[in-house]
Amino acid sequence: MSESFTPCRIDARACERARRTRDARFDGLFFTAVTSTGIYCRPVCPAPAPKAANVRYFDSAAAAAAAGFRPCLRCRPEAAPGSPLHHARSELVSGALRLIELGALDRGSLAELAQRVGVGERHLRRLFAQELGASPLEVAATRRLLFAKQLLLETHLPITQVAQGAGYASLRRFNTAVAAAWGRPPRELRRSTVSTGEATDAIVLRLPWRAPFDFAQLLAFHARRVIPGVEAVTQLGYRRSIIVDGEPGWFEVRAVAREPALALHLHHPRTQALGTIAVRVRRMFDLDADPRELRTAFAGDGLLGPLIKRWPGQRLPGAWDGFELAVRAVLGQQVSVAAARTLAARVAAAYGQPNPANAPADVAVLFPTAAQLAQAPLEAQGLTRARAATIRSLAQAVVEGRVAFRPEQTLGDFVDSLVALPGIGAWTAHYIAMRALSQPDAFPAADLILRRVAGAGLTLTTRELETLSERWRPWRAYAVMLLWRAS
């Protein structure tokens, strides 16, 4: 174990109190490493509390692993709510982390990752060490290891498919990594029985969240905006059709009774896509948000303080597919939410493809791709000539690569690429960034409802609202959701 370590960003006294009381609000926000055992744990670990002199605190599981500590078998660090990207101080590191979450270092090299975020390898390693206490490769290795453990314990997948699903290049490397971390091979680590509840042909994964979490409000938000045939909100939760790595499928997300988690019921043929799908679903429902940090940021604000106190579980509703969300946003310009939903359903039915993945009838359509809409006669579906031209222009820009929904790009670059297109202004661009890229600081300042609510009886100008919103950085997108909700 390394004697040197990067101090946890959370105050050590707060960490100590949370560890002693097993405070679930801090679960996944830091990890406790014990020098006498060489093991790192979640702050909610049920094991007897070690002496304070033997404890080290780390921001992430990767930082603890980089210092030479092994994950605890009892509290299962892989079952903790995901470490939020809020730990990253810069957009560059945040973008690199998003790529790593999606498997960039499973399939590619560190040099390729550095090139995608626009820096050299050495500089990227330096930034990761400064901000996260672990290198990009160590972060990726920890992600693979913990996701593999989750697949071992929560699914019936064969060992070979577990290795593939977790991102390992070979079964040998997987066996070596598991044995090094837990001192036993995967087959011994796996429980003799895996409880998945009801009989199903789906792969079921537990996606933990950090309390408080307002799942009902998220479902209500999605229910008003679902594209019939492509997605649906049911009594159980949310489900939709998907296509990943060229293969169609579908999933459903449900609440888990008496547990701080959602259950992802996934129907997709490619085991290698499991990690990517899980990450995208987590982002859709903002499961890695830190309510404590948001409460701290807004508590002293006269406008947002009462709102975050009233709705402490507010999340940022994401989207499964960036292009689909962008089309939906353009369709929603200057019309009601219900009208935009009707138009989106017509576009999906006319130009999308049937979902062959034995999906339920309400998610039996795959939303059309950019290539399918680039030349589509959308006016035939009731769109105005200008709106149809905007969607075709957007689709063509995506086909040509002038607009992309890459997770590593900055908010400014993404907005600039969109507003360069005819018919897309700053409001639409920021709304798309807020939901398609989960950009926490996106802020559609021209929104009339925001200007009215923030004006407390007066209607602010866009410039006035922009000025006011400076105090809410870098969480302005969450401010948007609270203010919309207050209206």
Side-chain angles (χ1 to χ4, degrees), residues 25 29 86 210-213 287-297 308 312-315:
R25 295 174 301 173
L29 293 179
H86 306 175
R210 191 173 291 107
F213 175 59
L287 300 187
D288 296 337
D290 179 3
R292 180 191 59 86
E293 188 162 359
L294 293 173
R295 186 174 62 251
T296 300
I308 197 65
Q314 179 66 55
R315 292 297 202 268

Side-chain angles (χ1 to χ4, degrees), residues 110-131:
L110 181 58
E112 292 169 334
L113 175 66
Q115 184 177 26
R116 287 187 66 174
V117 298
V119 297
E121 284 185 61
R122 182 177 299 178
H123 185 54
L124 186 61
R125 287 196 298 267
R126 184 184 305 117
L127 289 176
F128 265 67
Q130 291 173 351
E131 299 190 24

Side-chain angles (χ1 to χ4, degrees), residues 198-378:
E198 62 193 84
T200 176
D201 60 349
I203 294 173
V204 183
L205 291 176
R206 180 182 179 277
L207 304 180
W209 44 258
R210 191 173 291 107
F213 175 59
D214 198 340
F215 185 49
Q217 190 274 335
L218 270 179
L219 284 181
F221 184 93
H222 283 293
R224 292 190 296 272
R225 294 163 176 82
V226 294
I227 302 174
V230 175
E231 51 185 345
V233 172
T234 70
Q235 290 183 336
L236 293 175
Y238 171 92
R239 66 175 170 234
R240 66 159 297 129
S241 63
I242 60 173
I243 185 162
V244 180
D245 294 344
E247 296 283 354
W250 62 281
F251 71 77
E252 184 166 33
V253 175
R254 309 174 188 174
V256 179
R258 297 178 296 279
E259 281 191 51
L262 299 181
L264 169 62
H265 296 249
L266 175 62
H267 303 258
H268 194 271
R270 281 185 61 81
T271 307
Q272 295 90 332
L274 283 175
T276 295
I277 294 171
V279 167
R280 290 173 66 174
V281 173
R282 292 191 66 84
R283 196 159 296 156
M284 273 192 75
F285 294 92
D286 201 13
L287 300 187
D288 296 337
D290 179 3
R292 180 191 59 86
E293 188 162 359
L294 293 173
R295 186 174 62 251
T296 300
F298 294 153
D301 188 271
L303 183 60
L304 296 181
L307 301 182
I308 197 65
K309 184 177 181 180
R310 182 178 179 185
W311 299 305
Q314 179 66 55
R315 292 297 202 268
L316 185 61
W320 170 258
D321 180 78
F323 175 70
E324 176 189 300
L325 188 279
V327 171
R328 176 67 176 72
V330 172
L331 291 173
Q333 291 173 339
Q334 300 177 339
V335 300
S336 68
V337 171
R341 178 181 172 182
T342 298
L343 291 173
R346 291 177 185 171
V347 170
Y351 307 109
Q353 299 294 320
N355 188 349
N358 196 28
D362 54 4
V363 294
V365 177
L366 297 167
F367 193 81
T369 65
Q372 289 168 326
L373 292 186
Q375 304 298 327
L378 296 165

